[in-house]
Amino acid sequence: MSVMSEKTPLLHYRLSATPDPKDVAKGAGTQSGRGSKETRSRKLGVMFGVVTPTLLSMFSVVVFLRIGFVVGQAGLYQAVAMFLVAYLIITMTVFSVCAISTNGALDAGGAYYMISRALGPEFGGSIGIMFFFANVCGSALYILGLVEAMLSTFGVPEAGEAVISGPYQVLPSGYWWSVLYATGLLFVCFTVCLVGAHIYAKAAFIILVIVVSVLAAIFLSFFIVTPVVVILPAASVLNSTGLIFANFTGFHLHTLKNNLLPSYTVDYTTGVTMNFATVFAVMFNGCTGIMAGSNMSGDLKNPSYSIPRGTLAAVLITFITYNLLSLLAAMSCDRVLLQRDYGFMGDINIWPPMVKVGIYSSAISAAMSNLIGASRILYALSKDNLFGGVLALVRKTSPSGNPWASVLVSWLLVQMVLFAGKLNTIAGIVTIFFLLVYAAVNLACLALEWASAPNFRPSFRFFTWHTCTLGIIGCLVMMFMIDAIYAFASVAFMLLLLMLIHYLGPISNWGYISQALIFHQVRKYLLMLDVRKDHVKFWRPQVLLMVANPRSCTGLMTFINDLKKSGLYVVGHVRLGILDGLPSDPLQSRYDSWLSLVDHLNIKAFVNLTLAESIRRGIQNLLFITGLGGMRPNTIVLGFYDDCTPQDHLQGKILLSVGSGMDTASLTKKPGEQRCPFFPNVRLAEEAKDLREEEYVSIIADAVRMGKNVVLARYFNEFEREKVLGLGKKIASPQTGAGPFVDIWPLNLLQPDNHGYVDICSLFLLQLACVLQETRSWKQARLRLFLCVEAGGSLQEKEETKLRMMLKELRISAQVQMVSWDQVVALHWRRREGSHCGNLAGRDDIKVFPNNAALLTDEYIIAVNNLILHHGEPKPAVRFLYLPRPPADTSLYSAYRRHLDILSQDLGPTLLIHGVTPVVTIDL
C-alpha cells in the first residue's frame, strides 16, 4: 500500500511494505558458555542497546509519510482506534519478549535464541531462517528505497520523461546507475557493521538525534507556520490536468470537525480504493520493529535488565508520538491535503528539506540494522550447528568477537537482491515474515506458561497466557489482513523448514517444550482416568512383558507390540541385587540402552527396571507399582521356562544412545565385538538359570492372585514378523488363502473332564486373538478355532451351535473346526477312575473351574500335543492355548511346569493364556 508523496512513490511503497528495520540487530551465540570475546563485546546499555534501535525501527519513514494517510482516510476517531488496537497487539508481544528475556541468562541471538530455546531446534531453526531472509530482503528494500528517494530529488530525468529539471538534479539516472548508488550505500552499511556493534550503536544514536530533531521541527511547524496554500502534485488528483490546491489552516476547530469521521477514497499512488482493513494494514507496518532492542541481546551488558525497560519505553514514546502527530494533523490540515499529499509535512515545515533528511536518515538506519541483524541470525544458526557443516565458515569472528564472516555473507546476499531492482512483491512477504516471528515469540511464552515448568519464573510479571494468546491472534490476523496469499506461503515455508530440520538436523540439548506440555496434559488426563468408571466394553490389553535379557527376545517384544491394541505396554526387567552398600542406583544408567532398544525395534513401550533380591520379588514389585491411576497393566507376559539355549538377536548390532531417543542400529566391523555394554551376553547352555522352576510357577500363581491375566510365550525366538506377515510384499485378501493363520484352542486340554468353551479364560483367548487380528499388520490373518468333541457324544452338535452363536454375538470371524479326540481323551479316563464327567446342561455360560488337580500322564499330554500338531496344517503363525491355573499345592509346581512343557513341545510360536477378568460383552 502506498503512502508516500508523488515525488517518491516507489520509495514509499517499499518502505511502507517492510516493517522491522532493526530486528535482530545483535547477538548470535547460542551456547551457554561465554568466551572472553563474547564478554568483551557486551558493552551496550539500555539507551544505546535497546531504546535507540527500537525507536528507529518503529519510526522508520512511517512517522513522516503515513500519519497524513491514516488520518485523511480513516479520520481522527478511527485513526486513534487503529493505533490502540495495533499497540494492543504489539504490547502483548512485548510482554512475551520481556517475560522470556527476564527468565534467566539470555545469550546472543535475540528472537531466534528465545524461540529456539523455548520451542526446540526445529521451530527455532525454521523461524531463524525466515528471520534471516527477511532481514536480508529488508536491507535491500530500504537501500533501493533510499536510492529512489535520492534520485527523485537529485536525479537527472531520463529521456522521454516530462519532468522539469531542477538546479539540484545532477545524478545520472537508469538501472545500472541505481544499482551503483545502491551498492555504494550498502558498502557504507557493510563497513559500519564490519567494524562492530559498538560503531553501529553510535551511528544509530547519531541518526536518532537527527530523526528527533526532524520530529521536533515538525511539531514546531504546526505551531509556528502560518496558514498556507499547498499546491498538490498533479498525479495526486486523478483525471486532472490543472493545478490543485489544499489548505494548511493552522489550528482550527472547523478543520478538526471535518477530520473526525472517516472518508475513504482512492489512494492516488496505487489507484486502489481504501477501507478500514487496508488502511489499518498500512498503519500497522509502522508499529512493528519492537524486537530490534531484544535482538541486541548478545551485545547488552545486562539483557534481562535492559530489554524490558528499553522496549517498553520505546513503545510508549512511539505511541504518544503517533497520536500527537495525528491530532495535530487533524486540527490543522484540510482532508484533501492529507489524502492527496503524503509528503505534506515537508510542505508545511519551517525548513522543508528537514523532512527529506529524516527520510534519508531513517532509511539508511533501517538498511544498516537489517544487515547487522541478518548477520547475527546467521552467526547464531551456525553456532547451533542446525545445518551441519553448511554454515561452518560463517562462525569466524574477529578478536573483539564480531562475526565478520557472517557479516560478509549477509552483505553478499543483500548485494545479490539489489540486482533484482524491483522488490514490491518481496516487500509484502518480508512484512509477514516479521509478524510470523512475533507470533512465534508469543507462542513460545504461551507454551512455557501452559507447561507450568517450575524453572519458568520470569521477573517480569505483567503477562499471562491471555496476553500471549492475544498476541498470537493479533499477529496472525494482521498477516492475513496484509496479504492472505503471502501469509499462507510463509506458514507453508516455515512448516517445510521445520520438517527438514526435524529429520536432518542434529539433536540439541536445549530441552523440548513439547515434553513439558505432554507431561502437563498426561498428568491431567491420568487424573481423569478413573478406575471406578472402567467398563468391560472398553477393555483393552495393558501388558507388562518381563524380559530377562533383550538379546534373546526381540521377536517376542515386537509381537507383543502388535498384541497391545493401543493399550499400555511396559517392558519390565529385574536385576538381582540389593541397594544396601551400593553408592547409587545401578539401574539409572541402563535406561538409556533400554530406550535405545525400544527405538530400534520401533515399538511403543515404556521401560520399567527394578532391583530385588529375587526374580519373584522383583516381579511382584513391578506388578504392584507399574502404571499410574487407571493405566496399569492387567496382563503379564512371561517367557517360557524350558531348557532351550537362548539366541542372541542383537549380535553385531550397534545401539547408539543419544539423549533424544532417536537411536540407530547397524552392523559392527567385528561381529563378535560387544556393542551393547548394558545388555550382557546370552546365557550359555551349561550356565545355570537365575530362576528356579518352583519360583517360576510361583510367579504365575502370584499374578493370578493379584487379578492379572497371565500369558506364557514359547518359541518366539523362531518368530520372524516380516516373513510371517509378508511385509513389503503384496498380500492377497483372506479369500485367496494368502494370510497367516492364528490357531485358538479354547479348551483346558489339561483338564478334559470340563467341557466348557465359554468360561472366562476361553473368552479371554478369543478376545486376544481378535485384538491381534484387528492390528493393521495382521488384518490378513485368519482365525481358526478348534472345538474338541467326542465322536457320538450327545453334546457335540449342541456345543458347536452354542459356540457359533457366541462368535456371532461377539462379532468374531473365525473358522470353527471340529476335532475328534476320543482316543486322546480315553488315555485320561483310564487314570480317572470314578471321575466325574462334566455335564454342560444347566450350567452358566461363564464358569470358573477349580485348581487343576487332575492325575495327568505324560502319555496323555503327548497325545494332546500330537493332536495339536496334526491339526496345524497349514502351519499357523502363532497358537493360542488355554493355560490352567497353577495348583494350590506348591509341591505340584514342578509337575505343573513339566506338563506345560510337554503340551507345547515343538508347536512353534505359542501363547499359553490364563484370563481372570471378563473382557467381552454383547451389549452396545
Side-chain angles (χ1 to χ4, degrees):
M1 192 55 58
S2 179
V3 293
M4 290 186 76
S5 67
E6 176 203 15
K7 301 173 184 177
T8 55
L10 291 178
L11 169 66
H12 157 66
Y13 179 88
R14 289 168 183 162
L15 296 186
S16 65
T18 312
D20 265 353
K22 295 175 185 52
D23 277 357
V24 194
K26 194 70 176 173
T30 56
Q31 307 300 327
S32 58
R34 301 179 179 86
S36 58
K37 293 182 180 180
E38 294 177 352
T39 303
R40 291 197 299 268
S41 65
R42 292 177 176 269
K43 301 177 181 179
L44 303 180
V46 177
M47 185 63 194
F48 283 92
V50 182
V51 176
T52 298
T54 306
L55 281 177
L56 288 176
S57 242
M58 300 186 71
F59 278 151
S60 185
V61 296
V62 173
V63 71
F64 308 112
L65 298 173
R66 286 191 192 165
I67 296 300
F69 166 77
V70 174
V71 176
Q73 296 287 345
L76 181 62
Y77 287 156
Q78 287 194 8
V80 173
M82 288 180 183
F83 281 117
L84 288 174
V85 173
Y87 271 83
L88 174 64
I89 294 173
I90 65 169
T91 301
M92 299 302 100
T93 303
V94 169
F95 284 173
S96 297
V97 171
C98 294
I100 297 178
S101 64
T102 58
N103 186 53
L106 182 65
D107 209 336
Y112 161 70
Y113 184 86
M114 296 178 188
I115 297 169
S116 61
R117 270 37 177 196
L119 299 182
E122 297 93 343
F123 211 102
S126 59
I127 289 292
I129 288 293
M130 296 177 65
F131 215 5
F132 169 71
F133 284 119
N135 277 276
V136 167
C137 294
S139 181
L141 287 168
Y142 281 104
I143 290 289
L144 287 174
L146 177 57
V147 168
E148 293 179 7
M150 294 171 59
L151 289 178
S152 67
T153 303
F154 304 106
V156 176
E158 295 187 49
E161 284 190 286
V163 179
I164 301 175
S165 299
Y168 304 107
Q169 293 178 309
V170 296
L171 296 178
S173 300
Y175 170 77
W176 290 108
W177 284 107
S178 297
V179 172
L180 179 62
Y181 301 147
T183 301
L185 291 171
L186 177 61
F187 187 78
V188 173
C189 297
F190 167 67
T191 303
V192 173
C193 297
L194 194 61
V195 173
H198 62 287
I199 298 298
Y200 160 75
K202 293 178 181 178
F205 183 74
I206 294 173
I207 295 174
L208 179 63
V209 171
I210 296 174
V211 171
V212 170
S213 300
V214 174
L215 283 175
I218 291 174
F219 277 109
L220 288 175
S221 298
F222 280 109
F223 293 93
I224 296 176
V225 175
T226 58
V228 296
V229 177
V230 179
I231 301 176
L232 298 180
S236 68
V237 182
L238 303 179
N239 302 323
S240 176
T241 57
L243 296 177
I244 304 300
F245 303 93
N247 296 319
F248 171 73
T249 64
F251 296 124
H252 199 284
L253 185 59
H254 178 71
T255 304
L256 177 62
K257 289 181 179 179
N258 290 336
N259 289 327
L260 291 178
L261 300 178
S263 178
Y264 295 108
T265 184
V266 176
D267 176 19
Y268 74 90
T269 61
T270 62
V272 178
T273 302
M274 296 291 99
N275 54 46
F276 183 90
T278 55
V279 173
F280 183 72
V282 170
M283 181 277 302
F284 187 80
N285 289 333
C287 302
T288 56
I290 53 175
M291 288 197 296
S294 62
N295 288 320
M296 298 288 289
S297 58
D299 302 286
L300 299 175
K301 294 178 182 177
N302 189 350
S304 298
Y305 177 86
S306 301
I307 290 175
R309 290 164 177 79
T311 306
L312 289 173
V315 168
L316 181 62
I317 292 171
T318 56
F319 177 74
I320 294 173
T321 302
Y322 282 142
N323 281 277
L324 280 178
L325 285 176
S326 299
L327 178 62
L328 294 176
M331 293 175 63
S332 58
C333 300
D334 281 346
R335 179 64 67 94
V336 176
L337 177 62
L338 297 176
Q339 291 179 339
R340 301 300 179 185
D341 186 4
Y342 296 153
F344 78 98
M345 289 184 180
D347 299 328
I348 66 172
N349 202 274
I350 52 177
W351 187 48
M354 287 199 70
V355 175
K356 290 288 186 181
V357 172
I359 293 174
Y360 298 161
S361 301
S362 59
I364 193 69
S365 171
M368 192 187 309
S369 64
N370 274 271
L371 177 60
I372 197 171
S375 67
R376 271 30 181 197
I377 293 263
L378 185 62
Y379 179 61
L381 289 168
S382 68
K383 287 189 67 178
D384 284 342
N385 199 31
L386 293 183
F387 300 93
V390 176
L391 301 178
L393 295 178
V394 300
R395 298 176 195 168
K396 297 182 181 298
T397 60
S398 65
S400 61
N402 186 43
W404 62 268
S406 61
V407 174
L408 179 63
V409 172
S410 301
W411 169 63
L412 292 175
L413 289 176
V414 175
Q415 183 64 56
M416 292 176 60
V417 177
L418 287 178
F419 284 105
K422 305 296 182 180
L423 295 175
N424 291 356
T425 301
I426 300 177
I429 202 166
V430 167
T431 300
I432 292 172
F433 274 12
F434 283 120
L435 286 174
L436 193 58
V437 173
Y438 298 160
V441 171
N442 283 295
L443 179 63
C445 191
L446 179 64
L448 290 170
E449 177 70 10
W450 274 355
S452 299
N455 284 319
F456 181 64
R457 43 179 184 271
S459 56
F460 182 85
R461 296 293 184 180
F462 298 100
F463 84 99
T464 64
W465 70 268
H466 304 85
T467 62
C468 302
T469 305
L470 284 175
I472 295 173
I473 295 174
C475 291
L476 294 178
V477 167
M478 282 310 307
M479 285 172 53
F480 288 92
M481 185 178 291
I482 292 172
D483 195 304
I485 296 177
Y486 287 164
F488 278 117
S490 63
V491 172
F493 182 52
M494 183 197 72
L495 293 177
L496 177 62
L497 289 173
L498 190 148
M499 289 187 292
L500 287 175
I501 298 175
H502 175 75
Y503 288 108
L504 303 179
I507 302 303
S508 74
N509 59 353
W510 306 337
Y512 291 81
I513 189 64
S514 59
Q515 298 301 301
L517 290 172
I518 291 171
F519 179 90
H520 183 268
Q521 292 302 109
V522 167
R523 181 193 62 85
K524 181 174 71 175
Y525 287 118
L526 277 175
L527 290 172
M528 297 171 61
L529 191 61
D530 193 342
V531 294
R532 296 170 295 182
K533 299 178 182 178
D534 283 347
H535 194 278
V536 64
K537 66 182 178 182
F538 298 119
W539 179 90
R540 69 180 72 231
Q542 302 193 76
V543 181
L544 170 63
L545 170 64
M546 295 307 305
V547 176
N549 190 335
R551 291 180 175 275
S552 60
C553 62
T554 55
L556 178 59
M557 294 174 71
T558 55
F559 177 80
I560 298 300
N561 186 65
D562 290 334
L563 192 63
K564 69 181 187 303
K565 184 58 177 177
S566 301
L568 177 67
Y569 181 18
V570 180
V571 176
H573 172 73
V574 178
R575 179 183 176 184
L576 294 178
I578 56 176
L579 196 59
D580 295 345
L582 296 177
S584 61
D585 182 3
L587 298 177
Q588 291 303 315
S589 60
R590 303 198 173 191
Y591 273 98
D592 203 30
S593 289
W594 281 87
L595 293 175
S596 298
L597 176 65
V598 166
D599 292 326
H600 167 54
L601 297 177
N602 195 26
I603 61 177
K604 298 178 180 179
F606 299 95
V607 174
N608 204 351
L609 312 180
T610 188
L611 188 70
E613 66 273 15
S614 69
I615 302 294
R616 180 184 180 186
R617 182 57 57 86
I619 294 179
Q620 287 179 353
N621 293 340
L622 289 177
L623 287 174
F624 276 125
I625 67 173
T626 300
L628 289 172
M631 188 170 284
R632 292 181 177 276
N634 54 35
T635 303
I636 182 173
V637 180
L638 303 171
F640 197 81
Y641 192 96
D642 55 22
D643 297 326
C644 294
T645 302
Q647 301 176 14
D648 190 349
H649 298 288
L650 293 179
Q651 182 70 33
K653 297 289 184 179
I654 302 176
L655 297 184
L656 299 180
S657 178
V658 291
S660 69
M662 300 298 293
D663 307 316
T664 60
S666 61
L667 294 177
T668 65
K669 295 181 179 179
K670 299 179 181 179
E673 184 181 358
Q674 174 68 285
R675 304 300 295 180
C676 305
F678 290 152
F679 297 150
N681 291 326
V682 296
R683 177 179 55 84
L684 300 178
E686 61 273 12
E687 292 180 350
K689 298 180 180 180
D690 294 331
L691 185 65
R692 293 179 295 104
E693 188 176 49
E694 292 76 10
E695 187 180 9
Y696 177 79
V697 180
S698 297
I699 292 170
I700 301 174
D702 291 341
V704 173
R705 282 193 291 267
M706 297 172 67
K708 308 296 183 182
N709 308 297
V710 180
V711 177
L712 307 183
R714 189 173 192 185
Y715 294 122
F716 273 87
N717 59 316
E718 303 174 4
F719 180 75
E720 299 180 16
R721 185 173 183 271
E722 290 75 12
K723 183 178 180 180
V724 168
L725 301 179
L727 299 182
K729 302 177 181 179
K730 185 177 180 180
I731 300 177
S733 63
Q735 288 76 12
T736 65
F741 287 100
V742 176
D743 288 0
I744 309 165
W745 295 78
L747 180 67
N748 185 353
L749 298 174
L750 296 186
Q751 197 170 0
D753 49 334
N754 290 304
H755 289 71
Y757 283 93
V758 287
D759 65 354
I760 289 178
C761 186
S762 298
L763 293 177
F764 187 81
L765 262 72
L766 287 172
Q767 181 75 332
L768 277 191
C770 186
V771 165
L772 180 64
Q773 188 187 37
E774 290 177 358
T775 304
R776 179 180 302 177
S777 302
W778 290 80
K779 283 291 186 183
Q780 305 297 333
R782 292 181 293 169
L783 304 185
R784 294 191 301 193
L785 183 61
F786 294 93
L787 182 62
C788 296
V789 295
E790 297 178 43
S794 60
L795 296 179
Q796 176 177 348
E797 293 183 2
K798 181 178 179 181
E799 195 70 26
E800 181 182 2
T801 303
K802 189 176 184 180
L803 184 60
R804 292 186 182 277
M805 182 62 66
M806 181 189 67
L807 292 176
K808 182 178 179 181
E809 291 178 345
L810 295 177
R811 291 88 60 203
I812 297 177
S813 176
Q815 301 176 10
V816 179
Q817 297 188 17
M818 309 302 295
V819 177
S820 176
W821 69 329
D822 298 67
Q823 296 179 354
V824 175
V825 78
L827 298 175
H828 177 66
W829 297 137
R830 287 199 289 267
R831 290 292 304 269
R832 295 282 293 165
E833 296 179 357
S835 64
H836 171 68
C837 182
N839 194 332
L840 294 178
R843 294 189 181 185
D844 295 332
D845 283 352
I846 305 299
K847 297 178 286 293
V848 180
F849 296 107
N851 291 339
N852 179 28
L855 300 178
L856 299 172
T857 63
D858 291 352
E859 182 183 12
Y860 164 73
I861 303 176
I862 291 173
V864 172
N865 176 263
N866 291 329
L867 180 72
I868 298 173
L869 284 172
H870 178 72
H871 288 83
E873 294 298 333
K875 186 177 180 180
V878 62
R879 288 183 172 92
F880 287 51
L881 302 184
Y882 190 116
L883 174 67
R885 187 186 182 103
D889 187 353
T890 57
S891 64
L892 299 177
Y893 277 4
S894 179
Y896 172 82
R897 205 281 312 166
R898 187 168 56 84
H899 291 161
L900 297 180
D901 184 19
I902 299 173
L903 175 66
S904 56
Q905 188 74 34
D906 299 325
L907 293 183
T910 302
L911 296 181
L912 293 99
I913 302 170
H914 184 83
V916 298
T917 56
V919 294
V920 295
T921 178
I922 60 174
D923 295 332
L924 180 62

